[in-house]
Amino acid sequence: MGKGWHISASQMSRIKLTFVTLCILTVMVMMIVQLKNKGKLEETSSNIPVNSDEEHISVEPNSGRMVSDVPRYLDEATMIKEGKQRDTRKCTSARHSSMMLLDPKPLYRVGDVIKVEINTFNYYGERQTVGGDFFRLWMENTRHKAAIAGDVFDNNNGSYTGVLRVQWSGMATIRCFLERRREEIAMFYSIIAEHGTLWQLKREFVLGLWVTESTQCSMTRNNLGDVCNFTFLNDGFPWYCEKPRSIFLNCDTYSMSWSLNVAYLPKEAQQRDIYYLSSKPDNDFLRSSVNITSVLETVNIKIHTPKTPCSQLSPEVTWQRKRPVGVIYRNTWKPTLCWDTLEDTAQAYRQCLKNRRLWIPGDSTSRQFKESLHDTLNLKSAPTSLHPQLLEDKQGNLSVAWFAHEFPLFHGMERYSPLDNRAQHILLESLPNNTVDIVVLYLYVHFNLVHPDIYRQHVQRLARAAESLLDRAPGVTIAVRGPFAYYRNPAQELVSYWGLIYADILHEEFSSMVHRVVYIDYWDMTVALGPNHIHPKAATVRTMIHYMMSLLCHRRRGDTAEPTD
């Protein structure tokens, strides 16, 4: 025999015994793990209501609209029903929570609806039995820089249903982020109930050079002492400020407005811990992500392109909430409602605005639009303050106008005259019958610091003025700019959660005009792009502007034709 390893009979016997023992131990460990998992599953199933979202959430096959009797958010009474939470570890933990596919398929096709279930647990690892948390859900392909937004529905039993539609062929990963917890949002409601706002609004009273005093202001008289009624300075919307204490000052000595952009913090230490629970943005991504594959029809990723040009899209379709309204591909926004035929050039924009004025009033986030258009159109420079601003090109006979909306608007420490703020319904009422201007109505960010009822009051007045203008000025183009999503902001009180509520209010109050007013839906775009600040980056702002221009430029007034897609 040749040289080799020699194993005796006794050694072989020991090896066989060891191998058999290891096999038995492996099987026993697997059985124990399975039994434990089964026990957990049975325990969970016995304590948590069965998720019946399959019966309640669907997508209309023709329109693509999401139909659901499960809410995206809970009403105020339900949110605060549980009362104050003093133990932060009882709040939802993203790291303990999980996400899983419902009815998974080996392969998906473009247009397929995907549903995921998000199950929430607190920091003790205990399952949550109520809803109210605010989640972000999206699907992405990082290689192709592609992303779409998903919708999240609150089952109010500790579970949430996420819904997405496949928009490309190839690989994708579904991710989820816990933006805010129920307890934080309930706390904001409580602070607003006590103080009227989340930040501190001020009015300055002045007499001569030596006597100056600032007092607290609000849209309600809650917890204010003797007040000066400045509703007449706020274009008819309630506006109250406490009377100055100085014997030399009275309501007629009012001067400038300003704000202390800091919060009314909770008095209890435990409540303050909850207040700052979401201050670290990197800690609240769900650890579990879901990978899916859609049918590969080509070697490269494939995006569906609609046939209807955006300028010919019926205004009514823009209000239908087809999800998603667009997809990000190679960092470019691709609308799913229409075909973007407008070139992203200064020449194309100038042609659109020739002999017209574009009105984009609002706040600093609409002023970003003004500043971006200033660069794109190479218009004469304008200041960046909160004073009304007009960009003009007399040779091209076009202009872009911006002004700050009425209170609530938080100026910061810099003082501003009451004349610097103007309600947008005043603009609509002042336009002549023969106007061909484009007006983009927008109320949002500063209203995230007050109660939604205040927002509704302002939108109702705006809607009445818009309808009146449309009746007498057939050449005008009116659009409503919807809320956008922003992630953790340096100020804890600024939460785009309210955008879900405000989008519903806009749809309700403008429901009689959906065939005449264009709705610019930025929610899906900004969830997919994920700006991490209330003031999006310049590239995101430019993307938002181009989508707005593609919908509004060269639109035939009174056109209500249905899309051909």
Side-chain angles (χ1 to χ4, degrees):
M1 295 179 62
K3 293 183 179 179
W5 293 98
H6 177 71
I7 300 176
S8 66
S10 60
Q11 287 176 323
M12 180 61 73
S13 177
R14 283 197 297 272
I15 290 172
K16 288 181 178 179
L17 180 61
T18 303
F19 177 74
V20 171
T21 304
L22 287 173
C23 289
I24 293 172
L25 287 173
T26 302
V27 171
M28 290 177 65
V29 168
M30 291 176 66
M31 290 176 65
I32 291 170
V33 170
Q34 288 178 351
L35 286 170
K36 284 186 175 180
N37 289 338
K38 183 179 179 182
K40 286 182 179 179
L41 183 61
E42 288 176 349
E43 181 183 354
T44 299
S45 301
S46 63
N47 295 329
I48 304 300
V50 175
N51 181 2
S52 57
D53 70 277
E54 292 292 337
E55 302 175 3
H56 301 295
I57 303 172
S58 61
V59 178
E60 290 182 347
N62 294 327
S63 69
R65 289 191 301 127
M66 203 77 68
V67 179
S68 171
D69 56 8
V70 179
R72 288 178 171 85
Y73 57 88
L74 303 182
D75 61 71
E76 179 181 358
T78 305
M79 288 290 287
I80 62 178
K81 183 179 178 181
E82 300 297 318
K84 290 182 179 180
Q85 177 59 262
R86 291 178 171 82
D87 184 358
T88 58
R89 296 187 64 78
K90 288 282 187 180
C91 299
T92 297
S93 163
R95 294 196 173 193
H96 287 82
S97 300
S98 63
M99 176 176 59
M100 60 179 287
L101 271 175
L102 294 174
D103 298 325
K105 301 177 183 178
L107 280 177
Y108 292 86
R109 293 188 177 277
V110 172
D112 280 356
V113 174
I114 297 177
K115 293 184 181 180
V116 297
E117 184 176 82
I118 301 164
N119 292 302
T120 57
F121 295 79
N122 63 26
Y123 288 86
Y124 291 112
E126 302 166 338
R127 179 132 187 193
Q128 300 286 52
T129 58
V130 294
D133 297 325
F134 177 33
F135 287 96
R136 297 286 177 76
L137 181 73
W138 69 99
M139 185 160 59
E140 64 184 23
N141 180 307
T142 54
R143 179 183 174 188
H144 295 283
K145 297 179 180 177
I148 62 162
D151 279 307
V152 178
F153 298 88
D154 192 337
N155 300 306
N156 197 20
N157 60 7
S159 75
Y160 302 77
T161 303
V163 183
L164 309 100
R165 291 190 67 160
V166 179
Q167 294 296 310
W168 62 76
S169 55
M171 305 296 294
T173 301
I174 300 172
R175 301 191 186 280
C176 188
F177 179 73
L178 174 58
E179 172 65 20
R180 282 295 193 277
R181 286 125 176 118
R182 172 200 182 110
E183 292 80 5
E184 296 172 87
I185 299 168
M187 187 182 299
F188 293 148
Y189 271 122
S190 299
I191 293 172
I192 290 172
E194 182 177 355
H195 299 284
T197 64
L198 295 177
W199 283 356
Q200 303 176 35
L201 288 158
K202 304 285 186 179
R203 171 74 79 189
E204 191 172 64
F205 297 83
V206 176
L207 181 65
L209 298 175
W210 307 107
V211 184
T212 301
E213 183 181 337
S214 292
T215 68
Q216 202 78 2
C217 301
S218 179
M219 283 66 59
T220 66
R221 303 180 71 155
N222 294 359
N223 295 320
L224 295 178
D226 291 336
V227 298
C228 300
N229 188 343
F230 291 128
T231 299
F232 70 98
L233 288 175
N234 201 32
D235 293 326
F237 293 109
W239 187 244
Y240 306 100
C241 299
E242 287 187 332
K243 289 182 179 179
R245 296 181 180 180
S246 171
I247 59 173
F248 301 104
L249 300 172
N250 56 46
C251 294
D252 294 330
T253 60
Y254 71 86
S255 179
M256 302 292 189
S257 295
W258 62 287
S259 64
L260 196 59
N261 294 356
V262 295
Y264 293 100
L265 289 175
K267 298 180 178 64
E268 299 179 25
Q270 300 96 326
Q271 287 283 287
R272 285 196 294 272
D273 290 339
I274 291 176
Y275 195 90
Y276 290 109
L277 196 57
S278 296
S279 60
K280 296 179 180 179
D282 296 333
N283 291 347
D284 286 326
F285 286 92
L286 267 65
R287 286 184 171 181
S288 55
S289 58
V290 176
N291 295 314
I292 66 108
T293 304
S294 59
V295 177
L296 287 168
E297 299 173 0
T298 61
V299 224
N300 299 317
I301 193 169
K302 184 178 179 181
I303 303 289
H304 170 69
T305 302
K307 298 175 183 177
T308 304
C310 293
S311 61
Q312 296 178 24
L313 186 68
S314 166
E316 189 171 5
V317 175
T318 64
W319 293 88
Q320 285 183 355
R321 293 185 164 179
K322 178 180 178 180
R323 288 290 185 255
V325 298
V327 54
I328 297 294
Y329 175 57
R330 297 196 187 281
N331 288 334
T332 302
W333 176 248
K334 304 285 187 182
T336 57
L337 297 179
C338 57
W339 175 27
D340 179 6
T341 58
L342 183 71
E343 292 184 6
D344 189 4
T345 63
Q347 182 180 359
Y349 286 13
R350 283 178 171 275
Q351 184 63 33
C352 165
L353 297 176
K354 188 175 182 180
N355 301 323
R356 308 180 85 178
R357 174 167 294 176
L358 171 63
W359 295 91
I360 46 174
D363 53 35
S364 57
T365 59
S366 54
R367 190 179 63 201
Q368 285 185 281
F369 278 35
K370 185 270 302 179
E371 293 165 357
S372 181
L373 285 167
H374 162 265
D375 295 338
T376 301
L377 299 172
N378 194 26
L379 298 174
K380 185 179 178 181
S381 182
T384 57
S385 66
L386 288 177
H387 300 292
Q389 298 163 31
L390 178 65
L391 304 176
E392 285 187 290
D393 182 346
K394 294 183 179 179
Q395 185 176 357
N397 195 23
L398 62 91
S399 58
V400 178
W402 175 91
F403 59 85
H405 64 64
E406 70 277 12
F407 290 103
L409 192 135
F410 299 81
H411 291 295
M413 297 297 289
E414 189 173 351
R415 270 58 169 172
Y416 285 90
S417 163
L419 300 178
D420 287 329
N421 295 78
R422 183 185 182 193
Q424 293 172 37
H425 74 264
I426 300 296
L427 163 66
L428 298 181
E429 292 167 355
S430 69
L431 291 176
N433 294 348
N434 63 347
T435 182
V436 292
D437 288 355
I438 300 173
V439 185
V440 181
L441 305 173
Y442 176 60
L443 299 171
Y444 179 43
V445 172
H446 291 255
F447 287 85
N448 288 350
L449 297 164
V450 299
H451 195 277
D453 287 348
I454 301 294
Y455 184 78
R456 187 181 291 276
Q457 291 170 11
H458 288 247
V459 171
Q460 285 174 338
R461 186 66 187 87
L462 198 54
R464 291 198 301 271
E467 190 164 30
S468 175
L469 177 60
L470 288 166
D471 288 341
R472 64 180 176 80
V476 72
T477 298
I478 297 181
V480 171
R481 175 182 167 183
F484 67 95
Y486 53 88
Y487 286 75
R488 301 294 172 76
N489 202 65
Q492 285 293 100
E493 308 78 44
L494 284 168
V495 185
S496 60
Y497 165 83
W498 308 107
L500 300 175
I501 301 174
Y502 292 172
D504 283 351
I505 291 174
L506 289 171
H507 279 72
E508 290 163 10
E509 300 302 334
F510 279 88
S511 60
S512 64
M513 291 170 275
V514 294
H515 59 295
R516 299 197 287 174
V517 175
V518 175
Y519 183 68
I520 309 173
D521 191 336
Y522 285 128
W523 190 263
D524 287 355
M525 177 192 294
T526 47
V527 168
L529 283 171
N532 58 7
H533 196 276
I534 197 166
H535 293 110
K537 297 177 182 178
T540 301
V541 171
R542 188 176 177 89
T543 299
M544 296 170 78
I545 288 174
H546 185 73
Y547 184 47
M548 174 186 76
M549 298 295 280
S550 70
L551 285 169
L552 303 182
C553 286
H554 313 300
R555 175 170 288 277
R556 292 176 294 175
R557 265 76 73 185
D559 181 16
T560 56
E562 291 298 326
T564 57
D565 291 327

